[in-house]
Amino acid sequence: MSSVIKVDIPEKSYEISVAPGSLDQLGEQMASLKLGKKVLLVSNPMIFKHYGERAIASLQNAGFEVVSYNLPPGERYKTLNSIQKIYDIALENRLERSSTMVALGGGVVGDMTGFAAATWLRGINVVQIPTSLLAMVDSAIGGKTGVNHPHGKNLIGAFHQPSLVLIDPEVLKTLPAREFRAGMAEVIKYGVIWDAELFTQLEASKHLDQLRYLKSDLINYILTHSCQGKAEVVSKDEKESGLRAILNYGHTIGHAVESLTNYRLLKHGEAVGIGMVAAGEIAVKLGLWQKADAERQNALIKKSGLPTQLPADLDIETIIDALQLDKKVKSGKVRFVLPTQIGEVKVTDEVPTDTIRQVLQEMAS
Amino acid sequence: MSSVIKVDIPEKSYEISVAPGSLDQLGEQMASLKLGKKVLLVSNPMIFKHYGERAIASLQNAGFEVVSYNLPPGERYKTLNSIQKIYDIALENRLERSSTMVALGGGVVGDMTGFAAATWLRGINVVQIPTSLLAMVDSAIGGKTGVNHPHGKNLIGAFHQPSLVLIDPEVLKTLPAREFRAGMAEVIKYGVIWDAELFTQLEASKHLDQLRYLKSDLINYILTHSCQGKAEVVSKDEKESGLRAILNYGHTIGHAVESLTNYRLLKHGEAVGIGMVAAGEIAVKLGLWQKADAERQNALIKKSGLPTQLPADLDIETIIDALQLDKKVKSGKVRFVLPTQIGEVKVTDEVPTDTIRQVLQEMAS
Ligand SMILES: NC(=O)c1ccc[n+]([C@@H]2O[C@H](COP(=O)([O-])OP(=O)(O)OC[C@H]3O[C@@H](n4cnc5c(N)ncnc54)[C@H](O)[C@@H]3O)[C@@H](O)[C@H]2O)c1
Ligand SMILES: NC(=O)c1ccc[n+]([C@@H]2O[C@H](COP(=O)([O-])OP(=O)(O)OC[C@H]3O[C@@H](n4cnc5c(N)ncnc54)[C@H](O)[C@@H]3O)[C@@H](O)[C@H]2O)c1
Ligand SMILES: [Zn+2]
Ligand SMILES: [Zn+2]
């Protein structure tokens, strides 16, 4: 099974292709887009070791001149300094307006390569080859790119749409299990906010916590539907004025928990899982969502091996204070995305603090 | 006299206002655009000394909270390092999506502030208050922003349209005379490539080399028509696919001469003046342009106190080689913008090297 999702955005449309083994078609696919001859492939040492040579061979067979560069791995190198390294390589190899940067990696590599491409010669082509589940279903789609400021995540960035997103599900085989589970949180999110059919497919699977338990048809289905969900939402709202907000489902409390534990204890997806449980319970308490549906959601989160309780030792009042600092706060009111039925949510800033407090108390471990 | 030029670009339109004394209306004008409360004013020490307090007072009177930051002056600080300083100030003062950076200065301040605004929180508002003639008629309009890489000018950048361009011609009074003349080269350029009426108005003025010789009506006319010219061209071609190329009139040989003299001997506008003389002569030799019109152009350049001959000791073959390295080269062919009549040009890559050589020899000093 292979699928193509079209992303339609004013001035620039592009395709997300989901196809097992397609890493070897990278060169061909890029050639058909008439991109310039020069390619800078950006990855990290570990991912490059697994997939770098195949990507390069495919590009070279299609006539591209390829240079590659490995970023040091990890979120803490997602800095302007690393971007400067990419610029240096771009200059040394005389990348031109028509040249392309190819991001081969998870969200960290994708965000940095995207930002470098957005700002080199005021914007050159970028092709995203996401290799983590999170990058496949989330960060590679939508054109957000960014790096961290020493004092805050993703504060520096640009919108820059890729020319192509190439997803080869087979590369997930080498992804650490915990990263896989973290990505699954975003998949479940699309089921709750946008795609009830995806939700029921996830329910039908006995396991969701490890790739090897998932039939390859199901994983393709999951990837295609998740990408389709994100693509639809961002196409309808390229620059985050309205609809895109629903993608923050589970992220209001998720972000607070993530930052209060210094981005160390929990993976982003784990925090989002906790945040979805919380948002679901809030929606139930406010009479917006049926309890039975919240339980179905929570069962999926558990089946994915994700936590559903707050980390120990996290003070509830501290979480409530942290919500106020969130980017999503507008004139002092905390914005929540709350489900109304499976596949549908609404955005509201009318959640009483007492309700938040009560739900968090119930989730304390 | 005051005028407003509308720039129509998909997704974002904005106004260029040209009005003497309008620096004191900055706050009012920004308030009418419903921009957020927080403003970061970026300038340099010299310009800030002249105009900073007035800009701040106007903003505060309109209810804005203002912080200001002065970049160290000069092209050699147009670096990613300076941008990082702007980011730090933005963070310290908690600039938000709805906040605005205001650039008060020449092209250097404008390009850097524009880039910082383009990339802070993936893009916040920027208002341009150009204070040099070049910035007024050229760099503040069109949405190009950028900084230099240690090995090349403007290699790092982004497209980011301002919310407002506020031009107060009175600030030109403190601009050094040589900077004024350099800016006049770009004005003459608009006359040749786009606006025959502007050209004849320039001819009608006895002097063009110093602001104090120009009637205030004429300077307003010049600013309005130049801005209109640039705005029309960039609106028709926001991302430089075609028409925008005509703005490079005089810049092919201009850039070569500028870079071969290490950006020290000549101001950019001076190099452009030399480049326009060269391009005009090439057009005449190729039978595209009438000799009499080329002479009219050259007279304007002289009247502006700009050089019309090559700098001494510059080897002609070295210039010809340098043309090959230019960004405007496409598959080995040097691209020239050549006049066909006053107010009209064509773009061509069919100029025989011998013709270039001959013209340069005639221009040797
Ligand atoms: N741009 C956006 O819209 C957006 C959206 C969500 C998240 N993000 C960003 O994405 C980043 C997180 O992305 P992530 O979760 O992919 O983290 P990541 O890029 O750090 O990847 C997680 C780990 O898995 C490894 N890895 C990835 N693919 C692999 C594979 N196929 N085989 C073996 N190892 C592999 C990586 O080397 C890394 O150690 C964050 O920086 C976040 O800010 C961006
Ligand atoms: N973004 C674009 O589209 C674009 C187009 C052309 C040029 N540029 C860039 O613009 C820059 C050149 O701009 P510039 O010529 O304005 O140089 P500049 O900004 O360095 O200004 C020239 C000098 O004049 C001083 N100055 C400016 N206004 C003054 C005033 N009113 N009173 C007293 N002093 C004043 C400045 O401090 C500086 O010393 C270059 O970096 C170039 O790359 C950008
Ligand atoms: Zn997320
Ligand atoms: Zn110029």
Side-chain angles (χ1 to χ4, degrees), chain A residues 10-11 80-81 83-84 87-88 91 94 97 111 115 118-123 144-146 149-152 154-159 238-240 325 327, chain B residues 10-11 80-81 83-84 87-88 91 94 97 111 115 118-123 144-146 149-152 154-159 238-240 325 327:
Chain A
E11 292 179 58
L80 222 43
N81 251 343
I83 299 294
Q84 244 161 333
Y87 291 152
D88 291 344
L91 185 87
R94 299 202 163 269
R97 282 281 178 80
D111 275 10
F115 184 70
T119 51
W120 187 247
L121 306 179
R122 299 199 189 88
K144 278 200 206 177
T145 71
H149 184 275
H151 299 298
N154 295 325
L155 291 176
I156 301 158
F159 282 91
E238 199 194 349
K239 298 247 167 117
E240 293 209 289
L325 294 176
K327 274 191 286 191
Chain B
E11 292 180 57
L80 221 42
N81 251 342
I83 298 294
Q84 244 160 334
Y87 291 152
D88 291 344
L91 185 86
R94 300 201 162 272
R97 282 279 178 80
D111 275 12
F115 184 70
T119 52
W120 187 248
L121 305 179
R122 298 199 189 89
K144 279 201 205 176
T145 72
H149 184 277
H151 299 298
N154 294 326
L155 290 176
I156 301 159
F159 282 92
E238 199 193 350
K239 297 248 167 116
E240 293 210 290
L325 294 176
K327 274 189 285 187

Coordinates of all heavy atoms in Angstrom, one line a residue, chain A residues 10-11 80-81 83-84 87-88 91 94 97 111 115 118-123 144-146 149-152 154-159 238-240 325 327, chain B residues 10-11 80-81 83-84 87-88 91 94 97 111 115 118-123 144-146 149-152 154-159 238-240 325 327:
Chain A
P10 N -1.8 28.3 -0.6 CA -1.6 29.4 -1.7 C -0.1 29.5 -2.1 O 0.8 29.5 -1.2 CB -2.0 30.6 -1.0 CG -2.8 30.2 0.3 CD -2.4 28.8 0.6
E11 N 0.1 29.6 -3.4 CA 1.5 29.8 -3.9 C 2.3 28.5 -3.9 O 3.3 28.4 -4.6 CB 2.3 30.8 -3.1 CG 1.7 32.2 -3.4 CD 2.5 33.3 -2.6 OE1 3.7 33.4 -2.8 OE2 1.9 34.0 -1.8
L80 N 21.0 28.1 17.1 CA 21.4 28.9 16.0 C 22.9 28.6 15.6 O 23.3 28.7 14.5 CB 21.4 30.4 16.4 CG 20.8 31.4 15.4 CD1 19.6 30.9 14.7 CD2 20.5 32.7 16.1
N81 N 23.6 28.1 16.6 CA 25.0 27.6 16.3 C 25.0 26.5 15.3 O 25.9 26.5 14.4 CB 25.7 27.1 17.6 CG 26.7 28.1 18.0 OD1 27.2 28.9 17.2 ND2 27.1 28.0 19.3
I83 N 22.8 25.9 13.1 CA 22.3 26.5 11.9 C 23.5 27.1 11.2 O 23.7 27.0 9.9 CB 21.2 27.5 12.1 CG1 20.0 26.9 12.8 CG2 20.8 28.2 10.8 CD1 19.2 25.9 12.0
Q84 N 24.3 27.8 11.9 CA 25.5 28.4 11.3 C 26.4 27.4 10.6 O 27.0 27.6 9.6 CB 26.3 29.2 12.4 CG 26.2 30.7 12.0 CD 26.5 31.6 13.2 OE1 26.3 31.3 14.4 NE2 27.1 32.8 12.9
Y87 N 24.9 26.7 7.4 CA 25.2 27.8 6.4 C 26.6 27.6 5.9 O 26.8 27.8 4.7 CB 25.1 29.1 7.1 CG 23.7 29.6 7.6 CD1 23.6 30.5 8.6 CD2 22.6 29.3 6.9 CE1 22.4 30.9 9.1 CE2 21.3 29.7 7.3 CZ 21.2 30.6 8.4 OH 20.0 31.1 8.8
D88 N 27.5 27.3 6.7 CA 28.9 27.2 6.3 C 29.1 26.1 5.2 O 29.7 26.3 4.2 CB 29.9 26.8 7.4 CG 30.0 28.0 8.4 OD1 29.6 29.2 8.1 OD2 30.4 27.8 9.6
L91 N 27.6 27.3 2.0 CA 28.4 28.2 1.3 C 29.6 27.5 0.6 O 29.9 27.7 -0.6 CB 29.0 29.3 2.2 CG 29.8 30.4 1.5 CD1 28.9 31.5 1.0 CD2 30.9 30.9 2.4
R94 N 28.6 25.9 -2.4 CA 27.9 26.9 -3.3 C 26.5 26.5 -3.6 O 26.1 26.4 -4.8 CB 28.7 27.0 -4.6 CG 30.1 27.6 -4.4 CD 30.7 28.2 -5.6 NE 31.8 29.0 -5.2 CZ 31.7 30.4 -5.0 NH1 30.5 31.0 -5.1 NH2 32.8 31.1 -4.6
R97 N 19.9 29.1 -5.3 CA 18.5 29.3 -5.1 C 17.7 28.0 -5.5 O 16.7 27.7 -4.9 CB 18.0 30.4 -6.1 CG 18.2 31.8 -5.6 CD 17.2 32.2 -4.6 NE 17.5 33.5 -4.1 CZ 17.2 34.6 -4.8 NH1 16.4 34.5 -5.9 NH2 17.5 35.8 -4.3
D111 N 13.3 20.3 11.9 CA 13.1 21.7 12.2 C 14.3 22.5 11.9 O 14.2 23.7 11.4 CB 12.8 21.8 13.7 CG 11.4 21.6 14.1 OD1 10.6 21.2 13.2 OD2 11.0 21.9 15.2
F115 N 14.7 25.3 8.9 CA 15.0 26.7 9.2 C 16.2 27.2 8.4 O 16.2 28.3 7.8 CB 15.3 26.9 10.7 CG 15.5 28.4 11.0 CD1 14.5 29.3 11.0 CD2 16.8 28.8 11.4 CE1 14.7 30.7 11.3 CE2 17.0 30.2 11.7 CZ 16.0 31.1 11.7
A118 N 15.0 27.8 5.0 CA 14.1 28.9 4.9 C 14.9 30.2 4.8 O 14.4 31.2 4.3 CB 13.2 29.0 6.2
T119 N 16.1 30.2 5.4 CA 16.8 31.5 5.5 C 18.1 31.5 4.7 O 18.8 32.5 4.7 CB 17.2 31.7 7.0 OG1 17.8 30.5 7.5 CG2 16.0 32.0 7.8
W120 N 18.5 30.5 4.0 CA 19.6 30.5 3.1 C 19.2 31.1 1.8 O 18.3 30.6 1.2 CB 20.3 29.1 2.9 CG 21.6 29.2 2.2 CD1 21.8 28.7 0.9 CD2 22.8 29.8 2.6 NE1 23.1 29.0 0.6 CE2 23.7 29.7 1.6 CE3 23.1 30.5 3.8 CZ2 25.0 30.2 1.7 CZ3 24.4 31.0 3.9 CH2 25.4 30.8 2.9
L121 N 19.9 32.2 1.4 CA 19.5 32.9 0.1 C 18.0 33.3 0.1 O 17.4 33.2 -0.9 CB 19.9 32.1 -1.1 CG 21.3 31.5 -1.2 CD1 21.5 30.7 -2.5 CD2 22.3 32.7 -1.2
R122 N 17.5 33.6 1.3 CA 16.1 34.0 1.5 C 15.2 32.8 1.1 O 14.0 33.1 0.7 CB 15.7 35.2 0.8 CG 16.5 36.4 1.2 CD 15.9 37.7 0.9 NE 16.8 38.8 1.2 CZ 17.7 39.3 0.3 NH1 17.7 38.8 -0.9 NH2 18.5 40.3 0.6
G123 N 15.6 31.6 1.3 CA 14.7 30.5 1.0 C 15.1 29.6 -0.1 O 14.9 30.0 -1.3
K144 N 6.2 24.6 9.7 CA 6.8 25.3 10.8 C 8.3 24.8 10.9 O 8.5 23.6 10.9 CB 6.1 24.9 12.1 CG 4.9 25.7 12.4 CD 4.6 25.5 13.9 CE 3.2 25.7 14.4 NZ 3.1 25.5 15.8
T145 N 9.2 25.7 11.1 CA 10.6 25.3 11.3 C 11.1 26.1 12.5 O 10.5 27.1 12.8 CB 11.5 25.7 10.1 OG1 11.6 27.1 10.0 CG2 10.9 25.2 8.8
G146 N 12.1 25.7 13.1 CA 12.6 26.5 14.3 C 13.8 25.9 15.0 O 14.1 24.8 14.8
H149 N 16.0 29.1 21.6 CA 16.8 30.2 22.2 C 17.2 29.6 23.5 O 16.5 28.7 24.1 CB 15.9 31.4 22.4 CG 16.6 32.6 23.0 ND1 16.8 32.7 24.3 CD2 17.1 33.6 22.4 CE1 17.5 33.9 24.5 NE2 17.7 34.4 23.3
P150 N 18.4 30.0 24.0 CA 18.9 29.4 25.3 C 17.8 29.4 26.4 O 17.8 28.6 27.2 CB 20.0 30.3 25.7 CG 20.5 30.9 24.4 CD 19.4 30.9 23.4
H151 N 16.8 30.4 26.3 CA 15.8 30.5 27.3 C 14.4 30.1 26.9 O 13.5 30.4 27.6 CB 15.8 31.9 27.9 CG 17.1 32.3 28.5 ND1 17.6 31.7 29.6 CD2 18.0 33.3 28.2 CE1 18.7 32.2 29.9 NE2 19.0 33.2 29.0
G152 N 14.3 29.4 25.7 CA 13.0 29.0 25.4 C 12.9 28.2 24.1 O 13.7 28.4 23.2
N154 N 11.9 26.7 20.5 CA 11.3 27.1 19.2 C 10.9 28.6 19.2 O 10.0 29.0 18.4 CB 10.0 26.3 19.0 CG 10.3 24.8 18.8 OD1 11.3 24.5 18.2 ND2 9.4 24.0 19.2
L155 N 11.7 29.4 19.9 CA 11.4 30.9 19.8 C 11.8 31.5 18.5 O 11.3 32.5 18.1 CB 12.1 31.6 21.0 CG 11.5 31.2 22.4 CD1 12.2 31.9 23.5 CD2 10.0 31.7 22.4
I156 N 12.8 30.9 17.9 CA 13.3 31.4 16.6 C 12.9 30.5 15.5 O 13.0 29.2 15.6 CB 14.9 31.4 16.7 CG1 15.3 32.3 17.8 CG2 15.5 31.8 15.3 CD1 16.7 32.0 18.3
G157 N 12.3 31.0 14.5 CA 11.8 30.1 13.4 C 11.2 30.8 12.2 O 11.2 32.1 12.2
A158 N 10.7 30.1 11.3 CA 10.1 30.6 10.1 C 9.1 29.6 9.6 O 9.2 28.4 9.9 CB 11.1 30.9 9.1
F159 N 8.1 30.1 8.8 CA 7.3 29.2 8.1 C 7.9 28.9 6.7 O 8.3 29.9 6.0 CB 5.9 29.8 7.9 CG 5.0 29.7 9.1 CD1 5.0 30.8 10.0 CD2 4.3 28.6 9.3 CE1 4.2 30.7 11.1 CE2 3.4 28.5 10.5 CZ 3.4 29.6 11.4
E238 N -3.0 28.3 7.2 CA -1.5 28.1 7.1 C -0.7 28.8 8.2 O 0.3 28.3 8.7 CB -1.0 28.6 5.7 CG 0.3 28.1 5.4 CD 1.0 28.8 4.2 OE1 0.3 29.6 3.5 OE2 2.2 28.6 4.0
K239 N -1.2 30.0 8.7 CA -0.4 30.8 9.6 C -0.9 30.8 11.0 O -0.7 31.8 11.7 CB -0.1 32.2 9.0 CG 0.7 32.2 7.7 CD 2.0 32.7 7.8 CE 2.9 32.4 6.6 NZ 3.3 33.6 5.9
E240 N -1.7 29.8 11.4 CA -2.1 29.7 12.8 C -3.0 30.8 13.2 O -2.9 31.3 14.4 CB -0.9 29.7 13.7 CG 0.0 28.6 13.5 CD 0.7 28.3 14.8 OE1 1.5 29.1 15.2 OE2 0.3 27.3 15.5
L325 N 1.7 31.0 31.9 CA 2.8 31.4 31.1 C 2.8 30.9 29.7 O 3.7 31.3 28.9 CB 4.1 30.9 31.8 CG 4.4 31.5 33.2 CD1 5.6 30.9 33.8 CD2 4.6 33.1 33.1
K327 N 2.2 30.1 25.8 CA 2.0 30.9 24.6 C 0.6 31.0 24.2 O 0.1 31.9 23.6 CB 2.8 30.3 23.4 CG 4.2 30.8 23.3 CD 4.8 30.4 22.0 CE 5.1 28.9 22.0 NZ 5.9 28.5 20.9
Chain B
P10 N -0.4 39.2 -2.0 CA -1.3 38.2 -1.5 C -1.2 38.0 0.0 O 0.0 37.9 0.5 CB -0.9 36.9 -2.2 CG -0.1 37.3 -3.4 CD 0.4 38.7 -3.1
E11 N -2.2 37.9 0.7 CA -2.2 37.7 2.2 C -1.8 38.9 3.0 O -2.1 38.9 4.2 CB -1.3 36.5 2.6 CG -1.7 35.2 2.1 CD -0.8 34.1 2.5 OE1 -0.5 33.9 3.6 OE2 -0.3 33.4 1.6
L80 N 24.7 37.6 12.1 CA 23.8 36.7 12.9 C 24.0 37.0 14.4 O 23.1 36.9 15.2 CB 24.1 35.3 12.6 CG 22.9 34.3 12.5 CD1 21.8 34.9 11.8 CD2 23.4 33.0 11.9
N81 N 25.2 37.5 14.8 CA 25.5 37.8 16.2 C 24.6 39.0 16.6 O 24.1 39.0 17.7 CB 27.0 38.2 16.3 CG 27.7 37.2 17.1 OD1 27.1 36.4 17.7 ND2 29.0 37.2 16.9
I83 N 21.8 39.8 15.4 CA 20.5 39.3 15.4 C 20.2 38.6 16.8 O 19.2 38.8 17.4 CB 20.2 38.3 14.3 CG1 20.4 39.0 12.9 CG2 18.8 37.7 14.4 CD1 19.4 40.0 12.6
Q84 N 21.2 37.9 17.2 CA 21.0 37.2 18.5 C 20.8 38.2 19.6 O 20.0 37.9 20.5 CB 22.3 36.3 18.8 CG 21.8 34.8 18.8 CD 23.0 33.9 18.6 OE1 24.0 34.2 18.0 NE2 22.8 32.7 19.1
Y87 N 17.3 39.1 19.5 CA 16.4 38.0 20.1 C 16.5 38.1 21.6 O 15.4 37.9 22.3 CB 17.0 36.6 19.7 CG 16.8 36.2 18.3 CD1 17.7 35.3 17.7 CD2 15.8 36.7 17.5 CE1 17.6 34.9 16.4 CE2 15.6 36.3 16.1 CZ 16.6 35.4 15.6 OH 16.4 34.9 14.3
D88 N 17.7 38.4 22.2 CA 17.8 38.4 23.6 C 16.9 39.5 24.2 O 16.2 39.3 25.2 CB 19.2 38.7 24.1 CG 20.1 37.4 23.7 OD1 19.6 36.3 23.5 OD2 21.3 37.6 23.7
L91 N 13.3 38.5 24.0 CA 12.9 37.6 25.1 C 12.8 38.3 26.4 O 11.8 38.1 27.1 CB 14.0 36.5 25.2 CG 13.6 35.4 26.2 CD1 12.7 34.3 25.5 CD2 14.8 34.7 26.8
R94 N 9.7 40.0 26.7 CA 8.5 39.1 26.4 C 7.7 39.6 25.2 O 6.5 39.8 25.3 CB 7.7 39.0 27.6 CG 8.4 38.4 28.8 CD 7.4 37.8 29.8 NE 8.1 36.8 30.7 CZ 8.3 35.5 30.4 NH1 7.7 35.0 29.4 NH2 9.0 34.8 31.2
R97 N 3.5 37.4 19.7 CA 3.2 37.3 18.3 C 2.6 38.6 17.8 O 2.8 39.0 16.6 CB 2.0 36.3 18.1 CG 2.5 34.9 18.1 CD 3.0 34.5 16.8 NE 3.5 33.1 16.8 CZ 2.7 32.1 16.8 NH1 1.4 32.2 16.5 NH2 3.2 30.8 16.9
D111 N 17.4 45.9 7.4 CA 17.5 44.5 7.0 C 17.6 43.6 8.2 O 17.1 42.5 8.2 CB 18.8 44.3 6.1 CG 18.6 44.6 4.7 OD1 17.5 45.2 4.3 OD2 19.4 44.3 3.9
F115 N 14.9 40.9 9.5 CA 15.2 39.5 9.7 C 14.8 39.0 11.1 O 14.3 37.9 11.2 CB 16.7 39.2 9.4 CG 17.0 37.8 9.4 CD1 16.5 36.9 8.4 CD2 17.8 37.2 10.4 CE1 16.8 35.5 8.5 CE2 18.1 35.9 10.5 CZ 17.6 35.0 9.5
A118 N 11.2 38.6 11.2 CA 10.8 37.5 10.4 C 10.9 36.2 11.1 O 10.2 35.2 10.9 CB 11.6 37.5 9.1
T119 N 11.9 36.1 12.0 CA 12.2 34.8 12.6 C 11.9 34.7 14.1 O 12.2 33.7 14.7 CB 13.7 34.5 12.4 OG1 14.5 35.6 12.8 CG2 14.0 34.3 10.9
W120 N 11.5 35.8 14.7 CA 11.1 35.7 16.2 C 9.7 35.2 16.3 O 8.8 35.7 15.7 CB 11.3 37.1 16.8 CG 11.1 37.0 18.3 CD1 10.0 37.5 19.1 CD2 11.9 36.3 19.3 NE1 10.2 37.1 20.4 CE2 11.3 36.4 20.6 CE3 13.1 35.5 19.2 CZ2 11.9 35.8 21.7 CZ3 13.6 35.0 20.3 CH2 13.0 35.1 21.6
L121 N 9.5 34.1 17.0 CA 8.2 33.4 17.1 C 7.6 33.1 15.7 O 6.4 33.2 15.5 CB 7.3 34.3 17.9 CG 7.7 34.7 19.3 CD1 6.7 35.6 20.0 CD2 8.0 33.5 20.2
R122 N 8.5 32.8 14.8 CA 8.1 32.5 13.4 C 7.5 33.7 12.7 O 6.6 33.5 11.8 CB 7.2 31.3 13.3 CG 7.9 30.0 13.8 CD 7.2 28.8 13.3 NE 7.7 27.6 14.0 CZ 7.3 27.1 15.1 NH1 6.2 27.7 15.7 NH2 7.9 26.1 15.7
G123 N 7.8 34.9 13.2 CA 7.3 36.1 12.4 C 6.4 37.0 13.2 O 5.3 36.6 13.5
K144 N 12.4 42.1 1.5 CA 13.6 41.4 1.6 C 14.3 41.8 2.9 O 14.4 43.0 3.2 CB 14.6 41.7 0.5 CG 14.4 41.0 -0.8 CD 15.7 41.1 -1.6 CE 15.5 41.0 -3.1 NZ 16.8 41.1 -3.8
T145 N 14.8 40.8 3.6 CA 15.5 41.1 4.9 C 16.7 40.2 4.8 O 16.8 39.2 4.1 CB 14.7 40.7 6.1 OG1 14.6 39.3 6.2 CG2 13.3 41.3 6.1
G146 N 17.8 40.6 5.6 CA 18.9 39.7 5.5 C 20.1 40.2 6.3 O 20.2 41.3 6.8
H149 N 26.8 36.6 5.7 CA 27.6 35.5 6.2 C 29.1 36.0 6.1 O 29.4 36.9 5.3 CB 27.4 34.3 5.2 CG 28.2 33.1 5.6 ND1 29.5 32.9 5.4 CD2 27.8 32.0 6.3 CE1 29.9 31.7 5.9 NE2 28.8 31.2 6.5
P150 N 30.0 35.6 7.0 CA 31.3 36.0 7.0 C 31.9 36.0 5.5 O 32.8 36.8 5.2 CB 32.1 35.1 7.9 CG 31.1 34.5 8.8 CD 29.8 34.6 8.1
H151 N 31.4 35.1 4.7 CA 32.0 35.1 3.3 C 31.1 35.6 2.2 O 31.3 35.3 1.1 CB 32.4 33.6 3.0 CG 33.5 33.1 4.0 ND1 34.7 33.7 4.1 CD2 33.4 32.2 4.9 CE1 35.4 33.1 5.0 NE2 34.7 32.2 5.5
G152 N 30.0 36.3 2.6 CA 29.2 36.8 1.5 C 28.1 37.6 2.0 O 27.5 37.4 3.1
N154 N 24.4 39.3 2.5 CA 23.0 39.0 2.4 C 22.7 37.5 2.0 O 21.7 37.2 1.4 CB 22.3 39.9 1.3 CG 22.3 41.3 1.8 OD1 22.2 41.7 2.9 ND2 22.4 42.2 0.8
L155 N 23.6 36.6 2.4 CA 23.4 35.2 2.1 C 22.3 34.6 3.0 O 21.7 33.6 2.7 CB 24.7 34.4 2.3 CG 25.7 34.7 1.2 CD1 27.0 34.0 1.5 CD2 25.2 34.4 -0.2
I156 N 22.1 35.2 4.2 CA 21.1 34.7 5.1 C 20.0 35.7 5.2 O 20.2 36.9 5.3 CB 21.8 34.6 6.5 CG1 23.0 33.6 6.5 CG2 20.7 34.2 7.6 CD1 23.9 33.8 7.6
G157 N 18.8 35.2 5.0 CA 17.7 36.2 5.0 C 16.3 35.5 4.9 O 16.2 34.3 4.9
A158 N 15.3 36.3 4.8 CA 14.0 35.8 4.6 C 13.1 36.9 4.0 O 13.5 38.1 4.0 CB 13.4 35.5 6.0
F159 N 12.0 36.5 3.4 CA 11.0 37.5 2.9 C 10.1 37.8 4.0 O 9.5 36.9 4.6 CB 10.3 37.0 1.7 CG 11.1 37.1 0.4 CD1 11.9 36.0 0.0 CD2 11.1 38.3 -0.3 CE1 12.6 36.1 -1.2 CE2 11.8 38.3 -1.5 CZ 12.6 37.3 -1.9
E238 N 6.4 39.0 -6.1 CA 6.8 39.1 -4.8 C 8.1 38.3 -4.5 O 9.0 38.7 -3.7 CB 5.7 38.6 -3.8 CG 6.0 39.0 -2.4 CD 5.1 38.3 -1.3 OE1 4.2 37.6 -1.7 OE2 5.4 38.5 -0.2
K239 N 8.3 37.1 -5.1 CA 9.4 36.3 -4.7 C 10.5 36.2 -5.8 O 11.2 35.2 -5.9 CB 8.9 34.9 -4.3 CG 8.0 34.9 -3.1 CD 8.6 34.3 -1.9 CE 7.8 34.6 -0.6 NZ 7.2 33.4 0.0
E240 N 10.6 37.2 -6.6 CA 11.7 37.3 -7.5 C 11.8 36.3 -8.6 O 12.9 35.7 -8.9 CB 13.1 37.2 -6.8 CG 13.3 38.3 -5.8 CD 14.8 38.5 -5.7 OE1 15.4 37.6 -5.1 OE2 15.3 39.5 -6.2
L325 N 30.7 35.1 -11.4 CA 30.5 34.7 -10.0 C 29.2 35.2 -9.4 O 28.7 34.8 -8.4 CB 31.6 35.0 -9.1 CG 32.9 34.4 -9.4 CD1 34.0 34.9 -8.4 CD2 32.8 32.8 -9.2
K327 N 25.4 36.2 -8.5 CA 24.2 35.4 -8.2 C 23.2 35.4 -9.4 O 22.4 34.5 -9.6 CB 23.4 36.0 -7.0 CG 23.8 35.5 -5.7 CD 22.9 35.9 -4.6 CE 23.1 37.4 -4.3 NZ 22.3 37.9 -3.1

